[in-house]
Amino acid sequence: NPEGMEMAYRSIRQAIREGTLRMVSGPQRLGYAQGVDYGISALGDALEAFVPSPILGNLHNDGHQQIGQMHQATMRGMDTTPLGVMGNPNGAVRDPLFFRWHKVIDDIHQEYKNTLQPYGDEELDFPGVTITEAHVQSEGGHTANTLYTYMDTTTTRLQSIDLQATDGSSVNIAYDRLNHIGFSYHVNIQSRVETQGIMRIFLIPAGIRLPAHTDVTQVAVEMDRFLIFLNPGSNYFTRRSTSSPFVTKSAMPLVELQERLLMGQITEEQFNWSGCGWPQSMVLPRGRQGGMPFRLYIMVSQVLPGDSALTANWERMQFTSWSWCGVRRNEGDVPDSRPMGFPLDRAPPNGNWQSLMFKNGQKRGNHIAV
């Protein structure tokens, strides 16, 4: 009920201020040490609770439920459900309140992140490693650092228009979507030693005024993250945008995946991981005619001692969207112990994120246009 949600909202925010969550399994400290954020997973478990807490509730899902109950929906004129689209995962995004509610949840995470100290030189430095040149190149384009988007029409096959049919019928739907011309990242790195690092690439809006109580960490888009091996001297890397672990590696419609699962052509594990990730056609923001300014932020971070990044099968992982869903083995672990979004997962020193670009040589910030 709304009263319970209000209590859960206040309790979680108070727990963030106190640094301890009172979970069903016992108290959980929040914080960060030696490159690992040991509080963020517990906070996620509290907001998206598998076992609702009498104190912390199950805020995210309860919000969907309560907003859904504000509407009356009729399905196919026969069966009436008390929930509107916000109460149905298949259609929740159709309600404009979906985005406002998720901003509330995002703000709670950000409130916790901003209780942590800004990253210092120990986390950000990579002695002996310097990015000497970086740019993006659109396929077939002659100008570096200019990317192009456009609208096109495509089709997809769904079980039914209302996503509720159970009689085995399906329908092909044509729709307009945002798309882009493929592009690649080009980065040259000078290293004094033989070592490994993780390259992290972000896209940050430039020249915009952020709303109150919003910082750049909430509008920065992490585009790519991958392990690199550095030899002494100059190291040149080219990386296609489609290789990103954030984008889906399978365009197979859900109906076809279900059919293949029922026929035994794929395993349940393959089904669960198929199609995970952001649609490749939506990698870039729309931009505008004449070019919308962004900053391309690239950094190389040290691999933490004992990090699974050193033992992960990166050749196999290039065919999966592991940044969103994790790796199939190890119960979905991510082969990177640093916090998701590092180093833009929390407020920068003095709120000046540009300082992250120019402090130390293993970071780079380029002006680009979309």
Side-chain angles (χ1 to χ4, degrees), residues 227-264:
L227 183 72
I228 59 173
F229 294 90
L230 297 169
N231 296 311
S234 182
N235 300 263
Y236 192 84
F237 297 92
T238 299
R239 173 88 165 177
R240 290 175 58 85
S241 59
T242 53
S243 300
S244 170
F246 293 98
V247 300
T248 181
K249 300 300 188 293
S250 170
M252 193 181 301
L254 176 60
V255 174
E256 188 172 341
L257 283 171
Q258 292 171 329
E259 291 174 350
R260 291 195 176 194
L261 177 63
L262 292 173
M263 291 186 293

Side-chain angles (χ1 to χ4, degrees), residues 22-25 45-46 48-58 61:
R22 295 177 178 84
M23 307 288 286
V24 173
S25 58
D45 289 342
E48 186 91 18
F50 293 103
V51 180
S53 164
I55 299 174
L56 303 180
N58 186 9
N61 290 331

Side-chain angles (χ1 to χ4, degrees), residues 16-56:
I16 291 172
R17 292 190 293 269
E18 295 175 350
T20 302
L21 281 167
R22 295 177 178 84
M23 307 288 286
V24 173
S25 58
Q28 173 68 52
R29 291 184 59 233
L30 305 176
Y32 172 90
Q34 299 180 333
V36 178
D37 186 335
Y38 55 82
I40 191 64
S41 182
L43 179 59
D45 289 342
L47 291 169
E48 186 91 18
F50 293 103
V51 180
S53 164
I55 299 174
L56 303 180

Side-chain angles (χ1 to χ4, degrees), residues 72-122:
Q72 292 292 323
T74 300
M75 298 298 183
R76 303 176 67 182
M78 296 183 293
D79 182 31
T80 300
T81 173
L83 294 180
V85 292
M86 268 291 279
N88 183 345
N90 289 332
V93 73
R94 290 166 48 197
D95 193 326
L97 283 177
F98 175 91
F99 301 97
R100 293 200 173 203
W101 178 239
H102 278 246
K103 180 63 165 62
V104 170
I105 301 301
D106 187 39
D107 285 346
I108 295 174
H109 285 94
Q110 199 64 32
E111 184 176 350
Y112 161 66
K113 284 289 187 176
N114 288 341
T115 65
L116 308 176
Q117 291 295 318
Y119 290 115
D121 290 344
E122 181 180 354

Side-chain angles (χ1 to χ4, degrees), residues 125-186:
D125 280 356
F126 200 154
V129 173
T130 302
I131 298 177
T132 57
E133 197 278 332
H135 68 274
V136 290
Q137 185 68 51
S138 183
E139 294 178 1
H142 302 291
T143 304
N145 295 323
T146 301
L147 303 178
Y148 302 91
T149 64
Y150 60 93
M151 299 297 294
D152 68 4
T153 301
T154 189
T155 61
T156 189
R157 188 156 63 101
L158 301 176
Q159 286 179 313
S160 64
I161 294 178
D162 61 9
L163 305 174
Q164 298 295 317
T166 59
D167 59 1
S169 62
S170 64
V171 60
N172 286 324
I173 295 179
Y175 65 97
D176 295 332
R177 68 175 181 181
L178 177 68
N179 209 337
H180 65 279
I181 296 175
F183 62 96
S184 55
Y185 306 99
H186 300 259

